[in-house]
């Protein structure tokens, strides 16, 4: 207990601060985040039910939630023509199946995007909708048109609600190293890519990282995934302060990494609330995930890196002007996301973010933050630059610490 005439303890102040943050969230954004996740219908549900009733020849189709190895074995048992027939008949399901051949998923998602584009085109002139509803339909239609252009490799697509998507840069089947960009709040199909401030959107982040990795090591076959295939919080409301959406996203992220083709090494690059997703997923990630790097993190739902229970190296960075540093790093009754990943006691490998501007500038070309991500992505650990110019972030990595010391 703390008397009125004495100073409250640090833990008491933190609790009071957390409660104040919750109060502000409730009085400003309240519980609206969940409501705003809804969109024009739920086409995934209809597609799922049609798949459940479907067959391939005389065989029933496997459940979409089956383990990737079983789904992979099922598709391997089909002829090429049978695979295409399934993708044509059930594009929304096949395009999102972890375990289905990558090229088949690209084909299925082009078909699903074409269907979704036609739906939104019709909604644009539907007088039963409000003027805002028709305007939103137009925005979605143009987004789907963009995703259909230029032979893009769409690995996942679901127009339900606010929409989810994932896109691949590079050859995922032949890649030796795969990087996955996990974005944060306000990620949906409309914000999947941006014309202005392009490097703040998942597509721009991933494309920037892919080009930086190719420049860092042209001889290593790389692929980068812009992974917006989870339901992210809408704004800084209650959903952003708790871990429910991160828990759901972590299941999807773990499934993705387990189903990637080949034997590639995988690195996760997790921004803002995306680092919460990566923190929750950490213990379930397959051994092929070698690195988990977070930037602008509000926490990873743990008190220190050991509690992540992962064999992957844990990296962290934060720009000195990033507003996220003012968010309380604590966890009280499910609110908040735990300790600060760049703090000394957390135990991560702290990287330099020199050149990044604020909370959304970590993937800007020419920044040290992007350069560090690229070196991790290609496995060139001796080339990463630690925060404050020391070499401690490279310690314990064979050959990296010594090489870095020689450069200094």
């Amino acid at each position: 207990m703390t008397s009125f005439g004495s100073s409250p303890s640090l833990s008491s102040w933190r609790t009071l601060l957390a409660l104040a943050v919750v109060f502000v969230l409730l009085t400003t954004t309240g519980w609206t985040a969940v409501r705003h996740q809804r969109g024009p219908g739920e086409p995934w549900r209809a597609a799922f039910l049609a798949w459940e009733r479907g067959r391939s020849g005389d065989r029933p189709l496997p459940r979409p939630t089956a383990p990737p190895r079983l789904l992979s074995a099922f598709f391997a048992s089909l002829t090429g023509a049978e695979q295409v027939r399934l993708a044509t008949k059930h594009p929304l399901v096949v395009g999102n199946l972890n375990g289905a051949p990558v090229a088949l998923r690209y084909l299925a998602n082009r078909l699903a995007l074409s269907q979704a584009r036609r739906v939104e085109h019709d909604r644009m002139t539907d007088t039963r909708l409000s003027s805002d509803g028709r305007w939103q339909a137009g925005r979605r239609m143009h987004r789907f048109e963009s995703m259909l252009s230029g032979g893009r490799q769409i690995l996942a697509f679901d127009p339900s609600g606010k929409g989810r998507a994932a896109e691949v840069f590079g050859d995922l089947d032949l890649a030796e190293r795969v990087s996955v960009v996990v974005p944060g709040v306000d990620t949906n199909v409309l914000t999947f890519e941006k014309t202005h401030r392009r490097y703040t959107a998942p597509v721009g982040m991933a494309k920037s990282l892919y080009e930086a990795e190719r420049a860092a090591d042209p001889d290593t076959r790389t692929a980068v995934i812009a992974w917006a295939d989870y339901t992210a919080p809408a704004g800084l409301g209650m959903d952003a302060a708790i871990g429910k959406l991160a828990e759901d996203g972590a299941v999807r992220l773990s499934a993705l990494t387990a189903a990637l083709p080949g034997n590639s090494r995988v690195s996760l690059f997790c921004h803002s609330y995306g680092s919460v997703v990566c923190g929750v997923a950490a213990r379930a990630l397959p051994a092929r995930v070698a690195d988990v790097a977070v930037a602008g993190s509000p926490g990873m739902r743990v008190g220190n890196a050991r509690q992540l229970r992962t064999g992957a190296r844990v990296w962290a960075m934060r720009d000195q002007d990033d507003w996220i540093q003012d968010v309380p790093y604590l966890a009280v009754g499910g609110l908040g996301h735990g300790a600060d990943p760049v703090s000394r006691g957390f135990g991560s490998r702290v990287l330099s973010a020199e050149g990044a501007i604020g909370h959304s500038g970590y993937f800007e070309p020419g920044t040290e933050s992007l350069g560090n991500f690229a070196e991790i992505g290609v496995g060139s650990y001796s080339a990463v630059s630690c925060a404050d110019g020391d070499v401690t972030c490279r310690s314990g990595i064979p050959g990296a610490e010594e090489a870095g010391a020689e450069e200094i």
Side-chain angles (χ1 to χ4, degrees):
M1 296 289 293
T2 301
S3 69
F4 288 106
S6 63
S7 298
S9 66
L10 180 60
S11 61
S12 297
W13 274 120
R14 285 178 171 173
T15 301
L16 290 171
L17 184 56
L19 293 174
V21 169
V22 173
F23 176 77
V24 171
L25 291 175
L26 288 175
T27 55
T28 55
T29 57
W31 298 93
T32 60
V34 174
R35 174 171 60 85
H36 287 313
Q37 293 295 339
R38 297 191 61 80
E42 299 296 331
W44 166 255
R45 179 62 180 167
F48 180 91
L49 292 174
W51 174 273
E52 291 274 276
R53 296 189 295 267
R55 303 182 73 84
S56 178
D58 59 354
R59 291 188 295 168
L61 302 178
R63 288 188 60 80
T65 54
R69 58 182 178 79
L70 295 181
L71 292 171
S72 179
F74 168 75
F75 280 99
S77 72
L78 303 178
T79 65
E82 289 172 332
Q83 291 183 7
V84 170
R85 276 198 294 272
L86 272 183
T88 303
K89 188 172 183 179
H90 303 282
L92 199 56
V93 175
V94 174
N96 290 281
L97 285 182
N98 289 313
V102 169
L104 190 67
R105 291 180 67 171
Y106 295 159
L107 170 64
N109 284 319
R110 288 192 65 81
L111 297 172
L113 276 161
S114 295
Q115 292 179 1
R117 181 201 168 281
R118 287 194 294 272
V119 169
E120 298 302 338
H121 181 270
D122 292 343
R123 294 180 73 243
M124 287 175 61
T125 56
D126 189 340
T127 56
R128 293 172 297 178
L129 298 178
S130 66
S131 58
D132 181 68
R134 293 192 295 273
W135 179 71
Q136 289 290 344
R139 293 183 67 201
R140 287 168 63 93
M141 188 201 74
H142 290 304
R143 171 62 64 242
F144 300 156
E145 283 184 340
S146 175
M147 293 171 70
L148 282 165
S149 66
R152 294 173 63 173
Q153 300 177 140
I154 305 301
L155 185 67
F157 170 69
D158 180 2
S160 302
K162 291 270 186 166
R164 296 192 293 252
E167 182 173 3
V168 175
F169 296 91
D171 191 328
L172 195 57
D173 282 316
L174 298 179
E176 302 167 88
R177 307 275 312 196
V178 174
S179 297
V180 183
V181 174
V182 184
V185 299
D186 288 328
T187 296
N188 55 57
V189 75
L190 287 178
T191 60
F192 187 52
E193 58 184 331
K194 297 178 182 178
T195 302
H196 304 290
R197 302 182 69 235
R198 68 178 64 183
Y199 303 115
T200 67
V203 169
M205 292 177 179
K207 190 172 183 179
S208 180
L209 180 58
Y210 178 61
E211 292 171 352
E213 288 182 353
R214 286 168 59 85
D217 186 355
D219 295 327
T220 296
R221 296 191 303 272
T222 60
V224 179
I225 302 173
W227 191 77
D229 194 24
Y230 81 104
T231 300
L236 299 178
M238 199 63 180
D239 278 342
I242 61 178
K244 179 61 173 67
L245 293 180
E247 291 168 3
D248 296 342
V251 173
R252 301 179 69 85
L253 181 59
S254 298
L256 168 79
T257 54
L260 292 173
N263 299 309
S264 56
R265 301 290 282 172
V266 179
S267 298
L268 306 183
F269 298 95
C270 320
H271 176 245
S272 194
Y273 189 85
S275 67
V276 185
V277 177
C278 291
V280 177
R283 67 186 60 190
L285 296 173
R288 71 191 303 182
V289 178
D291 304 281
V292 176
V294 302
S297 174
M300 301 180 75
R301 305 293 292 181
V302 293
N304 57 63
R306 291 188 302 277
Q307 293 174 358
L308 292 172
R309 292 168 55 185
T310 177
R313 284 173 287 268
V314 180
W315 309 80
M317 68 168 67
R318 185 174 65 217
D319 178 63
Q320 61 182 356
D321 296 322
D322 191 336
W323 59 261
I324 202 76
Q325 63 190 306
D326 298 321
V327 171
Y329 284 96
L330 45 77
V332 180
L335 297 168
H337 302 304
D340 182 355
V342 303
S343 65
R344 185 179 298 274
F346 189 84
S348 64
R349 301 171 181 273
V350 184
L351 296 159
S352 170
E354 187 71 27
I357 302 173
H359 186 63
S360 302
Y362 294 98
F363 291 84
E364 287 281 345
T367 59
E368 206 160 270
S369 52
L370 177 64
N372 277 329
F373 282 166
E375 300 294 359
I376 291 170
V378 299
S380 183
Y381 303 111
S382 63
V384 300
S385 51
C386 307
D388 301 322
D390 61 23
V391 297
T392 55
C393 73
R394 295 189 289 264
S395 64
I397 304 177
E401 185 175 12
E402 295 78 2
E406 290 173 4
E407 292 171 6
I408 295 175

